[in-house]
Amino acid sequence: MDIMANVLLAAGCSPAMAHALDEVEAFVGISSALLVNMGTLSADWVAAKKLAARKAVELGKPWVLDLVGCGATPVRTASCLDLLACAPTVVRGNASEVIALAAAACRGASGNSGGVRGVDSTAASSDALEAAKLLASQHRCIVAVSGAVDYITDGTEVVAVRNGDVLLTLITAAGCSLTALIAAFLAAAPPGPGQQLLATAHALAVFGLAAEEGLKLVPRPGPGSLRVALLDMLHLMEKDAVLAGARIERL
Amino acid sequence: MDIMANVLLAAGCSPAMAHALDEVEAFVGISSALLVNMGTLSADWVAAKKLAARKAVELGKPWVLDLVGCGATPVRTASCLDLLACAPTVVRGNASEVIALAAAACRGASGNSGGVRGVDSTAASSDALEAAKLLASQHRCIVAVSGAVDYITDGTEVVAVRNGDVLLTLITAAGCSLTALIAAFLAAAPPGPGQQLLATAHALAVFGLAAEEGLKLVPRPGPGSLRVALLDMLHLMEKDAVLAGARIERL
Amino acid sequence: MDIMANVLLAAGCSPAMAHALDEVEAFVGISSALLVNMGTLSADWVAAKKLAARKAVELGKPWVLDLVGCGATPVRTASCLDLLACAPTVVRGNASEVIALAAAACRGASGNSGGVRGVDSTAASSDALEAAKLLASQHRCIVAVSGAVDYITDGTEVVAVRNGDVLLTLITAAGCSLTALIAAFLAAAPPGPGQQLLATAHALAVFGLAAEEGLKLVPRPGPGSLRVALLDMLHLMEKDAVLAGARIERL
């Protein structure tokens, strides 16, 4: 939660983190977008996640589901399915998580793990493209698969984003922070067809680019320096640098 | 909690964080001061906060209430009022939080939000000065309003502190860490009238100064570097630098 | 948890953190080693810790117990005793924590605190050597006492590790992160007598050495820079540097 909140603050947003059952709905009421992260799965947290998601849908606010560790345990997969049924605007996971969710959505929450071991992916993002398209079509949402190349799809269109650095896989909650940024970009997206897909792709590009640009300033890059540089660069990056550096491609 | 604990360690203190109902009182027993932070509002955490606060009062130990997000949701405002009734030594909030608490204290916990949106303030600290004086007088405590200028009052005296940097608003838990430092300074304050007010002002000055001095060493300041530099400087800063750099003024 | 996970990622591991009662056993099932940290002692967390520990033993996987704050409160000492009864492979604590646990193991969980105040030690690691040997013999486990010199014992053999830097005492969860690294080294240890003792000593040496080497690159060392440098160096350190720099001695 710490790095997620700091990523949002560095990018100019105003994050608030809440999980108490009796205030999550009120927080959704004063928010521009909601992020539901599956990292912590205590029973009362899961109940609060559902309450918050339903409130967001009721109020017409965008909400994003982060599939942390989907497929790693049966409880985790089942909880992700429960939240998927609450109509997220965007679902974000790594390849293993998206494959596990699509498999579970097809045959119920039982079955094997789709290559998930813990919370890190054992598959390439392109391996999950068909699973992502299937999920997006069936659940009328946008699915973002992050990896060396990120893929974003609404079931029909597919956008690839080629920003980022492999060192991002060595800092915890990099994926979670990315999802938080997607929520922020959705909050700021103009209305209209395709705008949420584009906003999601832009969030992925900006996050990856901040890592790339940040690492250029570090004499001896490692995961500790990357965390610092990422936050600095999200704050310092000029719009021009973003426009010039984003590697977004419609497939 | 991570940055709060690191701020305290860097400043030479020995922090311990506990929220289990059956050990918070024992922890207060071995502590020199207590910090109660309203960030997490699960029912059992709130119960533990009250137990801890009452134990501190019973043992005559100073305790500090951090108003995180007071005014953002009805539950949050009501919980802050509950803790205010437990006789804190110092209450710390941003302008919006202090205004919301004062309004709620006057008319019960219902009513509007006093300009709170999430946990960031939408008001300047000077806007909250009258609310702070009112709270301090009515509840016989010290109220600290942090912002571009910090104000500390016991209801009669007002002290302004002009240290800090606007970049502090872009790192999460900066306010919370500041409150933790207030608790540490209270633990070390000599007895006598006005000493707790002064200790609170000194904590605010030292925290702000550590940020200022730290940023001087960073070639390209951003929120990531600030976190690192703040912790380094709290450890490295000499007493002389603090005395020379503190901008504290009695109003 | 944040710094622990980042230490493991930087060192090339794949950490997952879980505390929900209904998935901890499944997570142990897909893990190579388990770390049980006593930092958070809510009733449901303690129950989950025991479930996880028993599952690890059932599956023949190594597990490590971190004694955070043992001795600070009666609840904490009693919980540590409960977990000690679940047959950990390695127990790690600072001198005060190990002394408190040994004292409690001899006479039940009541009694005084063994010099624990909060979670920081008030004793030198050598003061705990006899307590460590006693615990190791009686519970057939390895006990690691961290401090200026680290001692690792199985009750018969004693190994001393002289890596590290005093600045590590000024960052929160440094001990916890070290314990996480012990779990990782146990996961990778070859079978055979003495190998787990050696793996534990290696983890302590590598962690300490990463701090030493990292600090060499920092112009003005403080706790903020140490956190960054430690993570960088765990990722960057070559095997040769580790072999050359480790100061491990059989006593």
Side-chain angles (χ1 to χ4, degrees):
Chain A
M1 284 194 280
D2 179 74
I3 183 80
M4 278 192 277
N6 278 304
V7 159
L8 288 174
L9 283 166
C13 315
S14 177
M17 291 153 289
H19 64 259
L21 270 169
D22 48 7
E23 70 166 2
V24 287
E25 291 171 302
F27 261 118
V28 173
I30 57 170
S31 302
S32 306
L34 168 69
L35 162 65
V36 173
N37 180 294
M38 301 306 283
T40 302
L41 285 195
S42 307
D44 51 345
W45 283 54
V46 174
K49 290 175 209 292
K50 287 188 204 167
L51 266 185
R54 284 179 192 135
K55 192 69 182 180
V57 170
E58 180 194 323
L59 298 175
K61 297 187 178 184
W63 80 273
V64 190
L65 175 61
D66 191 311
L67 300 176
V68 188
C70 180
T73 70
V75 161
R76 206 155 270 266
T77 310
S79 298
C80 288
L81 276 180
D82 276 2
L83 267 297
L84 180 65
C86 298
T89 314
V90 176
V91 175
R92 205 279 316 165
N94 62 34
S96 295
E97 291 160 348
V98 169
I99 291 168
L101 183 64
C106 288
R107 54 149 209 272
S110 66
N112 68 42
S113 73
V116 177
R117 182 154 183 286
V119 296
D120 300 317
S121 185
T122 56
S125 54
S126 56
D127 297 341
L129 191 47
E130 287 315 306
K133 285 164 99 170
L134 188 76
L135 278 174
S137 296
Q138 289 185 340
H139 294 271
R140 296 167 186 274
C141 61
I142 292 160
V143 177
V145 188
S146 53
V149 181
D150 307 313
Y151 295 97
I152 306 102
T153 182
D154 59 5
T156 311
E157 295 226 53
V158 179
V159 173
V161 175
R162 293 171 204 276
N163 292 101
D165 189 283
V166 68
L167 211 50
L168 281 169
T169 60
L170 296 189
I171 62 176
T172 196
C176 303
S177 302
L178 174 57
T179 313
L181 205 60
I182 293 173
F185 274 66
L186 288 176
Q195 293 299 332
Q196 292 182 324
L197 185 78
L198 207 60
T200 304
H202 285 168
L204 287 151
V206 166
F207 189 82
L209 195 59
E212 290 171 33
E213 293 295 312
L215 284 171
K216 287 182 189 164
L217 304 178
V218 175
R220 200 181 285 230
S225 299
L226 173 56
R227 267 167 70 107
V228 174
L230 177 67
L231 292 175
D232 283 350
M233 206 43 73
L234 280 170
H235 173 63
L236 294 167
M237 232 174 9
E238 300 288 337
K239 207 168 185 176
D240 292 353
V242 179
L243 292 175
R247 292 190 292 281
I248 299 177
E249 183 192 357
R250 269 179 207 280
L251 299 187
Chain B
M1 285 193 280
D2 178 74
I3 182 81
M4 277 191 278
N6 278 303
V7 159
L8 288 174
L9 283 166
C13 314
S14 176
M17 291 154 288
H19 64 260
L21 270 169
D22 47 7
E23 70 165 2
V24 287
E25 290 171 301
F27 261 117
V28 173
I30 56 170
S31 301
S32 306
L34 168 70
L35 162 65
V36 173
N37 180 294
M38 301 305 284
T40 302
L41 286 194
S42 308
D44 50 346
W45 284 53
V46 174
K49 290 175 210 292
K50 287 187 205 169
L51 266 185
R54 284 180 192 135
K55 191 71 182 177
V57 171
E58 180 194 324
L59 297 176
K61 297 187 178 185
W63 79 273
V64 191
L65 174 62
D66 191 313
L67 300 175
V68 187
C70 180
T73 70
V75 161
R76 204 155 271 266
T77 309
S79 298
C80 288
L81 276 180
D82 276 2
L83 267 299
L84 181 63
C86 297
T89 315
V90 176
V91 174
R92 205 280 315 167
N94 62 34
S96 295
E97 291 160 349
V98 169
I99 291 169
L101 183 64
C106 288
R107 55 149 208 274
S110 65
N112 68 41
S113 73
V116 177
R117 183 158 183 284
V119 294
D120 299 316
S121 184
T122 56
S125 52
S126 55
D127 298 342
L129 190 47
E130 288 314 307
K133 285 164 99 170
L134 188 76
L135 278 173
S137 298
Q138 289 186 340
H139 295 271
R140 296 167 185 272
C141 60
I142 292 160
V143 177
V145 188
S146 53
V149 180
D150 306 314
Y151 295 98
I152 306 101
T153 182
D154 59 5
T156 310
E157 295 226 55
V158 179
V159 173
V161 176
R162 291 168 206 279
N163 291 99
D165 189 284
V166 68
L167 211 50
L168 280 170
T169 61
L170 297 190
I171 63 176
T172 196
C176 303
S177 302
L178 174 55
T179 312
L181 205 60
I182 292 172
F185 274 65
L186 288 176
Q195 293 298 334
Q196 292 183 323
L197 185 78
L198 208 59
T200 305
H202 285 168
L204 287 152
V206 166
F207 189 82
L209 195 59
E212 290 170 34
E213 293 296 312
L215 285 171
K216 287 182 189 163
L217 303 178
V218 175
R220 201 180 285 228
S225 300
L226 173 56
R227 268 168 69 105
V228 174
L230 176 67
L231 292 174
D232 283 350
M233 205 45 71
L234 280 170
H235 173 62
L236 294 167
M237 233 174 8
E238 300 288 337
K239 207 167 186 178
D240 291 353
V242 178
L243 292 174
R247 292 190 292 281
I248 300 177
E249 183 191 359
R250 270 180 207 279
L251 299 187
Chain C
M1 284 194 280
D2 179 74
I3 182 81
M4 278 192 278
N6 278 304
V7 159
L8 288 174
L9 284 165
C13 316
S14 177
M17 290 152 289
H19 63 259
L21 270 169
D22 47 7
E23 68 166 2
V24 286
E25 291 172 299
F27 261 118
V28 173
I30 56 171
S31 302
S32 306
L34 168 69
L35 161 65
V36 172
N37 180 295
M38 300 306 283
T40 302
L41 286 194
S42 307
D44 49 346
W45 284 54
V46 174
K49 290 176 210 292
K50 287 188 206 168
L51 265 185
R54 284 179 191 136
K55 191 71 184 178
V57 171
E58 180 194 323
L59 298 176
K61 297 187 178 185
W63 79 273
V64 190
L65 174 61
D66 190 312
L67 300 176
V68 188
C70 181
T73 70
V75 161
R76 205 155 270 266
T77 309
S79 299
C80 288
L81 276 180
D82 277 2
L83 268 298
L84 181 64
C86 297
T89 314
V90 176
V91 174
R92 204 281 314 165
N94 61 35
S96 295
E97 291 160 349
V98 169
I99 291 169
L101 184 63
C106 289
R107 56 153 205 271
S110 66
N112 69 41
S113 72
V116 177
R117 183 155 185 284
V119 295
D120 299 316
S121 184
T122 57
S125 52
S126 55
D127 298 341
L129 190 48
E130 287 315 306
K133 285 163 99 170
L134 188 77
L135 279 173
S137 297
Q138 289 185 340
H139 294 272
R140 296 167 185 272
C141 60
I142 292 159
V143 177
V145 188
S146 53
V149 179
D150 307 313
Y151 295 98
I152 306 101
T153 182
D154 59 5
T156 310
E157 295 226 53
V158 179
V159 173
V161 176
R162 293 170 204 278
N163 292 100
D165 189 283
V166 67
L167 211 49
L168 280 169
T169 60
L170 296 189
I171 63 176
T172 195
C176 304
S177 302
L178 173 57
T179 312
L181 205 60
I182 292 173
F185 274 65
L186 288 176
Q195 293 299 333
Q196 291 182 324
L197 185 79
L198 206 60
T200 304
H202 285 168
L204 287 151
V206 165
F207 189 82
L209 195 59
E212 290 170 34
E213 294 295 311
L215 284 171
K216 287 182 189 163
L217 304 177
V218 175
R220 201 181 286 230
S225 299
L226 172 57
R227 268 167 70 105
V228 174
L230 177 68
L231 293 174
D232 283 350
M233 204 46 70
L234 280 170
H235 173 63
L236 293 168
M237 233 173 9
E238 300 288 338
K239 207 167 186 177
D240 292 352
V242 178
L243 293 175
R247 292 190 291 281
I248 300 177
E249 183 192 358
R250 268 180 209 279
L251 300 187

